[in-house]
Amino acid sequence: MSEDHHPEKSQLTPLQRFLSSRLVTGAGMFLSKCVPPFIGYPVAGLIAGLINWLKPDVYRIVYANLRQVVGPKVDEETLHRLVRQVFHNNTRNDYDLWHLMSRGPETIRAAVHIPPDTRTHLEQALQRGQGVIIVGAHTGNFDLGILTLAAHGLEIQVLGLAAPPAGGFDLMDRMRASAGVHLTSISVPALREAIKRLRAGGVVLTGVDRPVDDVEQLVEPSPLPGGSKRGVEFFGRLAPLPTGHVRLALKTDATIVVASSCHDPQKGNVVHLSPPLKMVRTGDRDEDRRVNLRRVTGWLEEFIRARPEQWAMFVPVWPEQHP
């Protein structure tokens, strides 16, 4: 299962550590390159079916995450069906990503549909000339969506998590870099580079729906009641999500657009973007962060709620829900 850039090993279950190992990831990338879809898709389905049958820890993590998204009115049978679809979608997406990557940028561009409104929103954001921060949800084939933007000639610096583990994640990073994506783990130098890029009118991309440790944020998150813990309101509950994208936008006057990928039965892989979000300034620094953060998470919630079975989030977003 592909993960966000550089998740901490301590957040991965034993099954995730096995699937993200160099051996398994390398084998998956190699076989996906060689195997045609009429074989690749059934094999991906078998892997997902085995996970759904065994119901390991990662299954329960996805179940708890989706329960918060869909709310208590959704019955257990429907929720388990959504969870099973998450794993089927993700294994298929991994195959598609690795298979298409081996065929070059032309194939990637042809495989992903960019609707007219998405193009318009991106053009409007770029025309401001103040830099664009694309903040993404881990929906659909999100990696393929990033590579598609790069294949269309957009120069992107991707801010990934700090302290990257080795193994299969190194192979994934090499693949992204080969497609023209400039991946940087969050650090002081990386943030300085991002600020410089944004002030020059460039593009920075980061995922913002995955929980992080305080040390990874290198920002000032919103305080939770109680003082020591921190979090962001997300689907009606506080979650330890990153907030640095809003701070970067306020510091550089960059525009934020919220991105989401999905698989549409008629159109295939599709990339969606929110309208450009120019930062609201109230005169109060904390209020500025709160207001703009809520605007961003509102779009994240809308994208995820539209297709919860395509939200590939395999770590606990609300950790207190998990033993």
Side-chain angles (χ1 to χ4, degrees), residues 16 36 43 46 48 50 64 67 89 92-93 122 132 143 169 185 203 208 213 224 228 235 238 249 315 318:
Q16 287 172 288
V43 171
L46 286 173
L50 181 62
R67 170 53 76 194
N89 290 333
R92 182 188 176 104
N93 287 340
L122 183 57
V132 179
D143 253 315
F169 298 105
S185 298
V203 180
V208 296
D213 296 330
L224 283 174
S228 61
F235 286 103
L238 291 168
V315 294
W318 297 273

Side-chain angles (χ1 to χ4, degrees), residues 74-136:
V74 170
D75 62 82
E76 287 292 300
E77 181 180 350
T78 301
L79 181 56
H80 279 287
R81 176 175 56 80
L82 292 174
V83 175
R84 291 193 295 270
Q85 288 177 332
V86 167
F87 290 100
H88 277 284
N89 290 333
N90 194 72
T91 52
R92 182 188 176 104
N93 287 340
D94 280 348
Y95 168 76
D96 275 342
L97 172 67
W98 297 333
H99 184 72
L100 292 170
M101 263 300 299
S102 66
R103 280 151 177 77
E106 289 288 345
T107 302
I108 292 175
R109 284 196 293 267
V112 180
H113 175 62
I114 301 180
D117 62 336
T118 292
R119 295 180 184 272
T120 299
H121 293 158
L122 183 57
E123 289 169 1
Q124 289 173 343
L126 290 170
Q127 284 170 2
R128 285 192 67 235
Q130 300 294 319
V132 179
I133 302 175
I134 303 176
V135 298

Side-chain angles (χ1 to χ4, degrees), residues 163-284:
F169 298 105
D170 282 346
L171 298 178
M172 292 291 291
D173 284 349
R174 290 177 191 173
M175 178 199 71
R176 295 169 183 128
S178 70
V181 174
H182 178 42
L183 181 63
T184 56
S185 298
I186 289 182
S187 61
V188 172
L191 291 173
R192 286 174 179 162
E193 180 183 345
I195 291 170
K196 182 179 180 181
R197 183 181 295 266
L198 291 170
R199 286 177 172 164
V203 180
V204 172
L205 184 148
T206 188
V208 296
D209 58 344
R210 182 189 178 281
V212 294
D213 296 330
D214 288 347
V215 68
E216 292 172 334
Q217 298 192 54
L218 295 178
V219 295
E220 299 172 18
S222 304
L224 283 174
S228 61
K229 294 184 179 180
R230 302 164 182 241
V232 173
E233 182 185 345
F234 193 45
F235 286 103
R237 194 179 190 125
L238 291 168
L241 299 183
T243 60
H245 49 289
V246 168
R247 191 180 183 196
L248 269 178
L250 288 168
K251 184 178 183 66
T252 62
D253 200 30
T255 300
I256 289 181
V257 291
V258 185
S260 174
S261 298
C262 73
H263 185 271
D264 183 274
Q266 281 74 45
K267 298 177 181 178
N269 294 297
V270 183
V271 175
H272 295 285
L273 290 182
S274 74
L277 303 178
K278 191 174 182 295
M279 294 296 95
V280 172
R281 297 183 185 274
T282 66
D284 181 277

Side-chain angles (χ1 to χ4, degrees), residues 3-8 10-12 61 65 136 138 160-162 186 207-217 230-232 234 238-243 300 304 311-320 322:
E3 290 281 348
D4 189 13
H5 309 304
H6 312 321
E8 294 292 334
S10 61
Q11 291 183 306
L12 303 182
I61 288 171
N65 287 341
H138 289 78
L161 297 181
I186 289 182
V208 296
D209 58 344
R210 182 189 178 281
V212 294
D213 296 330
D214 288 347
V215 68
E216 292 172 334
Q217 298 192 54
R230 302 164 182 241
V232 173
F234 193 45
L238 291 168
L241 299 183
T243 60
L300 289 173
I304 294 169
W311 189 33
M313 186 50 57
F314 303 110
V315 294
V317 176
W318 297 273
E320 73 278 4
H322 301 268

